[in-house]
Amino acid sequence: MATTMRVLLDDQPCDVRADSVGQTIAAAASLAEARGRMIVEVNVHARSWTGSEVGEPGSSIMRSTTGEVRLTSVQPADLVRTIFHDAAQALAEADSLQQSAAQLLQAGQTTAAMSKLSDAVGIWSAVQQALIMGAQAAGMDLEALLAADDRRRAVASLNTHLKTIRAALETGDPVGLSDTLLYDLPDVVTHWRSLLHDLGQRIARAA
């Protein structure tokens, strides 16, 4: 049975032939890809969908044949710039958390310091994941993106200091941990924010 859905891609009516919401989304995504774009938002029946919902082909809504489907697409380079910009902004928060953790350690407030440090490490993990996702979205090899000497140094420096932090935690060395957070990591944050900015610019030029 043919659908009676209204389908819009980037706010423009999209003439796709499909038998369900699920097939409509797939067809519109293929159309966007043919235009060199990628889907970043799916709205079904006036409700924004998460990635997990789109991945449930057997759901009743995915099988439905009526209603409205709106999809938003972007150029991959634009998406990557946004990902890297947001990651760089997040690192400013990580820097603040690291400084607070160091000050709390110096004040003997270990539990509060560990909470701040855990949040900062979580941000670093998310930033590293954003770097991987950004390279994938741009269709570029991550190792090639990080081939420049200054980028390799930024990555190596972060890994070195994370190992230092882990060792200080394992040996119960609050002074060494505080010094690393207070005096070493600010430069690492600066280098990584610059790295993310430079990579975003490079991908934009290559688009």
Side-chain angles (χ1 to χ4, degrees), residues 152-172:
R152 285 202 302 268
R153 284 195 296 270
V155 173
S157 179
L158 174 61
N159 290 335
T160 296
H161 287 103
L162 288 178
K163 290 177 181 177
T164 300
I165 289 172
R166 188 179 301 113
L169 290 170
E170 290 174 350
T171 59

Side-chain angles (χ1 to χ4, degrees), residues 90-197:
L91 284 180
E93 175 64 16
D95 188 36
S96 177
L97 288 166
Q98 289 157 186
Q99 297 295 301
S100 294
Q103 293 163 3
L104 288 166
L105 283 169
Q106 292 174 341
Q109 299 180 42
T110 304
T111 300
M114 291 302 100
S115 177
K116 296 284 187 181
L117 179 57
S118 176
D119 289 343
V121 171
I123 291 175
W124 277 110
S125 178
V127 166
Q128 290 176 310
Q129 187 61 35
L131 186 60
I132 295 170
M133 291 174 58
Q136 291 175 342
M140 301 184 74
D141 181 70
L142 182 58
E143 290 188 9
L145 284 175
L146 298 176
D149 289 343
D150 57 337
R151 295 168 188 162
R152 285 202 302 268
R153 284 195 296 270
V155 173
S157 179
L158 174 61
N159 290 335
T160 296
H161 287 103
L162 288 178
K163 290 177 181 177
T164 300
I165 289 172
R166 188 179 301 113
L169 290 170
E170 290 174 350
T171 59
D173 180 11
V175 175
L177 178 57
S178 175
D179 285 349
T180 298
L181 296 173
L182 203 58
Y183 304 117
D184 297 329
L185 282 188
D187 284 342
V188 177
V189 168
T190 298
H191 293 155
W192 265 77
R193 295 190 73 187
S194 177
L195 178 151
L196 290 165
H197 174 76

